[in-house]
């Protein structure tokens, strides 16, 4: 192959390298919905399994030549069942969003009413009109909240549910700072024979480690999730349940329904990521929770307006890996994030249920899962808070902050809480 034909390919490789250098090695990445995978997970994903078709269930595939591929699939499903204490799993799911679509299709029919966390409280698009729920023809009602908080207004909700007879209640959001009372929501669901689903996209790794609420054990009929956020695996989705009827329906929606062949390299990587959670999950999740709590304290000490999900007079800030900031003073969360990017501090905007900042998310969402996996402890959170402070409040010194961030990041390059099979 002549050299010049490889030009565009080399360009792509240079972009990949540049992205990896900046995002993985130099910046402080506090974006909540991401993570770094161990070299063991990455190694499994970079194999030719990623283009080997595999239709159906292990042991009963349409194609031949899948003996070892089937073993991987079975092993991975065992790992998933173990970490989530679930009897059934559907792993043939391309994303958390598709997991939600599968769950909606298994529990409702177009025209049905469902309840979800309002968008202003970071209810996910797939739970709402603009996403999977609306596209599938569902009518979505907002779970009523106490104004300015993430607290559910239970008496009001109970009355509404009795009148509107939803078929499904969706708990979980893109800003799960505190656990929600799943058992109480189940009572509300039971009163009208509705299903209860918990979307654990962000907290899946903490749930797997037993360090966040256990929605299935607390009464959710099914739980969906993304696999690349706190879980630390490849991009993808999962549905888990202890309800055999639901499991059968979801299984049929996956195959032959919506997923024919799927990426077995992803499944191998996912199995290894779940095995890592079996081995290192508790230490990882504990450190995430301690780091988030300390980061919140350090931000408060710097007069950064940390948002409290139980109301401004509450002590509570977070029981997960996340911290939210009221971004009203920073021109909204998205603009703050764009400004902070120049300082190599990465995060995103998020809606908070407080008065809107025009045309923008009014909050900032920070997640400590990635910096925790890179080896940062409570002691480093003061430094991280300083960088956030500078990125938010001193954009004019972005170039200087960026150099300081790069220097600080040098010591935190190795992915912890995972297996290593080559240099990482
Ligand atoms: C991220 C997220 C999803 C979507 O997951 P993808 O894997 O990105 O499709 C679903 N629900 C919630 C609450 C999320 O935060």
């Amino acid at each position: 192959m002549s050299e010049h034909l490889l030009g565009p390919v080399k360009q792509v490789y240079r972009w990949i390298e540049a992205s990896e250098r900046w995002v993985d090695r130099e910046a402080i990445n506090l974006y909540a919905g991401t993570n770094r995978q161990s070299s063991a997970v990455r190694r499994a994903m970079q194999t030719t399994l990623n283009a080997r078709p595999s239709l159906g269930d292990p042991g009963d595939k349409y194609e031949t030549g899948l003996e070892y591929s089937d073993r991987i699939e079975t092993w991975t499903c065992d790992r998933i069942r173990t970490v989530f204490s679930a009897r059934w799993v559907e792993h043939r799911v391309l994303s958390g969003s598709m997991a939600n679509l599968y769950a909606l299709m298994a529990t409702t029919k177009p025209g049905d009413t469902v309840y979800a966390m309002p968008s202003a409280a970071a209810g996910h698009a797939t739970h709402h009109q603009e996403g999977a729920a609306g596209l599938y023809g569902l009518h979505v009602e907002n779970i009523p909240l106490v104004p300015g908080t993430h607290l559910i207004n239970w008496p009001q909700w109970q009355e509404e549910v009795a009148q509107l007879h939803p078929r499904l209640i969706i708990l979980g959001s893109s800003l799960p700072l505190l656990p929600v009372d799943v058992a109480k929501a189940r009572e509300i669901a039971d009163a009208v024979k509705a299903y209860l689903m918990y979307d654990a996209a962000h907290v899946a790794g903490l749930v797997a480690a037993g360090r966040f609420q256990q929605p299935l054990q607390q009464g959710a009929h099914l739980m969906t999730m993304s696999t690349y956020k706190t879980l630390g695996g490849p991009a993808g989705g999962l549905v888990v349940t202890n309800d055999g009827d639901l499991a059968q329906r979801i299984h049929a929606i996956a195959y032959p329904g919506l997923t024919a062949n799927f990426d077995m390299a992803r499944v191998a990587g996912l199995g290894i990521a779940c095995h890592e959670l079996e081995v290192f999950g508790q230490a990882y999740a504990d450190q995430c929770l301690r780091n988030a709590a300390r980061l919140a304290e350090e931000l408060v000490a710097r007069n950064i307006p940390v948002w409290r999900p139980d109301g401004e007079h509450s002590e509570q800030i977070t029981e997960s890996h996340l911290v939210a900031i009221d971004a009203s003073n920073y021109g909204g969360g998205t603009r703050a994030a764009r400004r902070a990017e120049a300082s190599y501090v990465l995060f995103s905007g998020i809606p908070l249920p407080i008065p809107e900042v025009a045309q923008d998310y009014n909050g900032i969402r920070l997640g400590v899962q990635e910096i925790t996996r890179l080896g940062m402890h409570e002691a480093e959170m003061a430094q991280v808070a300083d960088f956030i402070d500078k990125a938010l409040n001193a954009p004019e010194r972005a170039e200087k902050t960026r150099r300081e961030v790069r220097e600080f990041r040098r010591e935190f390059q190795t992915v912890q809480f995972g297996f290593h099979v080559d240099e990482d």
Side-chain angles (χ1 to χ4, degrees):
M1 175 84 63
S2 62
E3 264 305 296
H4 75 279
L5 289 177
L6 277 174
V9 175
K10 287 187 173 162
Q11 180 61 63
V12 171
Y13 288 152
R14 279 197 292 275
W15 285 329
I16 291 173
E17 273 167 37
S19 178
E20 286 183 338
R21 182 174 62 246
W22 175 37
V23 180
D24 294 355
R25 293 199 295 278
E26 297 186 341
I28 294 178
N29 197 347
L30 298 163
Y31 184 74
T34 188
N35 218 325
R36 287 288 298 280
Q37 296 144 356
S38 70
S39 56
V41 169
R42 285 158 47 107
R43 164 90 182 271
M45 287 162 63
Q46 289 160 357
T47 59
T48 60
L49 271 181
N50 70 356
R52 293 296 178 204
S54 175
L55 275 179
D57 296 316
D60 188 26
K61 296 283 186 185
Y62 171 71
E63 304 91 342
T64 53
L66 295 178
E67 177 183 348
Y68 298 105
S69 164
D70 278 5
R71 290 191 199 189
I72 293 168
E73 194 175 0
T74 302
W75 180 80
T76 292
C77 289
D78 284 343
R79 303 280 68 69
I80 298 166
R81 276 191 287 268
T82 303
V83 293
F84 292 108
S85 303
R87 297 235 290 283
W88 286 281
V89 50
E90 184 50 68
H91 60 292
R92 296 167 294 189
V93 192
L94 293 178
S95 67
S97 298
M98 288 295 286
N100 285 346
L101 178 62
Y102 287 20
L104 297 173
M105 292 178 80
T107 53
T108 64
K109 290 196 174 52
D112 284 347
T113 295
V114 303
Y115 265 91
M117 288 297 276
S119 304
H124 195 255
T126 50
H127 307 171
H128 284 276
Q129 219 58 50
E130 68 272 26
L135 293 172
Y136 181 55
L138 297 173
H139 172 73
V140 184
E141 289 286 336
N142 286 325
I143 297 174
L145 302 181
V146 176
T149 74
H150 278 177
L151 294 169
I152 293 174
N153 181 336
W154 294 97
Q156 187 188 335
W157 192 25
Q158 205 160 10
E159 270 179 41
E160 285 186 24
V161 165
Q163 280 178 4
L164 295 178
H165 281 262
R167 290 298 304 146
L168 172 70
I169 288 169
I170 306 171
L171 297 177
S173 75
S174 297
L175 188 59
L177 294 162
L178 302 176
V180 4
D181 194 339
V182 171
K184 202 160 162 180
R186 174 63 186 264
E187 283 173 24
I188 287 192
D190 279 347
V192 294
K193 296 199 169 60
Y195 281 111
L196 180 65
M197 150 185 168
Y198 186 100
D199 181 341
H202 276 276
V203 288
L206 307 180
V207 174
R211 294 299 193 265
F212 199 68
Q213 68 180 140
Q214 303 290 299
L216 285 187
Q217 286 64 38
Q218 292 165 343
H221 293 96
L222 70 175
M223 181 162 71
T224 59
M225 70 196 83
S226 301
T227 52
Y228 63 99
K229 299 180 181 179
T230 50
L231 199 147
L238 280 178
V239 188
V240 293
T241 181
N242 282 318
D243 182 316
D245 291 336
L246 271 181
Q248 255 181 3
R249 266 179 265 160
I250 288 164
H251 213 62
I253 289 166
Y255 179 77
L258 294 176
T259 308
N261 295 292
F262 54 96
D263 181 353
M264 195 61 77
R266 174 183 76 79
V267 172
L270 177 59
I272 294 169
C274 287
H275 185 46
E276 290 175 337
L277 285 168
E278 287 181 87
V279 178
F280 310 108
Q282 294 178 359
Y284 159 56
D286 283 341
Q287 195 59 53
C288 280
L289 302 187
R290 286 197 297 263
N291 284 352
R294 179 65 72 86
L295 179 61
E297 268 176 43
E298 298 287 355
L299 292 170
V300 169
R302 285 160 184 76
N303 287 320
I304 292 173
V306 164
W307 187 74
R308 295 167 193 268
D310 280 357
E312 56 184 324
H313 302 298
S314 161
E315 292 288 299
Q316 293 263 55
I317 295 175
T318 182
E319 283 180 33
S320 71
H321 61 299
L322 302 172
V323 177
I325 294 172
D326 178 346
S328 314
N329 297 337
Y330 306 114
T334 304
R335 275 208 253 162
R338 301 244 158 89
R339 222 178 304 124
E341 187 183 37
S343 300
Y344 277 22
V345 178
L346 307 180
F347 54 76
S348 68
I350 194 80
L352 294 175
I354 52 178
E356 288 292 321
V357 173
Q359 311 262 306
D360 199 351
Y361 292 133
N362 51 9
I364 287 168
R365 182 185 61 182
L366 309 170
V368 300
Q369 73 291 342
E370 177 160 337
I371 59 173
T372 302
R373 273 173 84 85
L374 289 170
M376 294 188 204
H377 295 87
E378 291 99 306
E380 278 77 38
M381 294 305 114
Q383 188 83 62
V384 171
D386 275 341
F387 288 133
I388 295 168
D389 191 10
K390 286 175 186 169
L392 287 175
N393 294 314
E396 72 285 352
R397 80 191 291 288
E399 211 172 306
K400 192 148 184 264
T401 306
R402 185 160 72 211
R403 279 200 301 276
E404 293 164 2
V405 165
R406 262 205 218 115
E407 187 57 33
F408 169 74
R409 267 300 310 276
R410 277 183 193 214
E411 280 179 55
F412 304 99
Q413 295 295 329
T414 311
V415 176
Q416 319 275 322
F417 308 112
F419 297 112
H420 299 281
V421 293
D422 44 34
E423 74 268 32
D424 195 27

